[in-house]
Amino acid sequence: MNLGRFAAYGGLFVLGAVVGTAGALVQGGWFPGGLLLALLGAAGLFYGGVLALGGRAGAVAPAAGWLVSVMLLTASRPEGDFLFGAGLGSYAFLLGGMAVAVMCATLGQRPQPGGPAARLGK
């Protein structure tokens, strides 16, 4: 792994944290459109990481940043305040974002260029 690739993974991790924080704020403010916007933003980042880096790790890095920021925002503080309320939108954002990350990491593999058009053995 070279330094540029390592920096790209770090940048995607930070960008994932930013998208997770912004999504947490938007999904609660403009329900249900904000929820859709937050999940589409996360999906765009995760799949964009796959396309930019050419592998599944391109989706894992921003998904890890997203997950860290969202989990930190769900923890209650000593004052009793927290960002997520107990509602359908919050749970849909948490579970939907995790599902989108898994889908982009597992289904985001592009076909290898230069391969034969026919199946092997035919």
Side-chain angles (χ1 to χ4, degrees), residues 53-113:
L53 295 179
R56 293 178 180 167
V60 173
W66 182 90
L67 186 65
V68 166
S69 70
V70 168
M71 287 298 130
L72 288 176
L73 293 173
T74 59
S76 62
R77 298 183 356 196
E79 296 89 15
D81 298 337
F82 54 92
L83 190 59
F84 287 101
L88 179 66
S90 298
Y91 292 123
F93 177 67
L94 292 171
L95 296 175
M98 289 181 209
V100 164
V102 168
M103 283 188 281
C104 289
T106 56
L107 299 176
Q109 191 68 17
R110 295 186 297 180
Q112 295 294 325

Side-chain angles (χ1 to χ4, degrees), residues 25-77:
L25 296 172
V26 168
Q27 64 87 20
W30 298 323
F31 187 78
L35 174 64
L36 183 63
L37 180 66
L39 290 176
L40 285 175
L45 175 64
F46 301 155
Y47 192 67
V50 169
L51 294 179
L53 295 179
R56 293 178 180 167
V60 173
W66 182 90
L67 186 65
V68 166
S69 70
V70 168
M71 287 298 130
L72 288 176
L73 293 173
T74 59
S76 62
R77 298 183 356 196

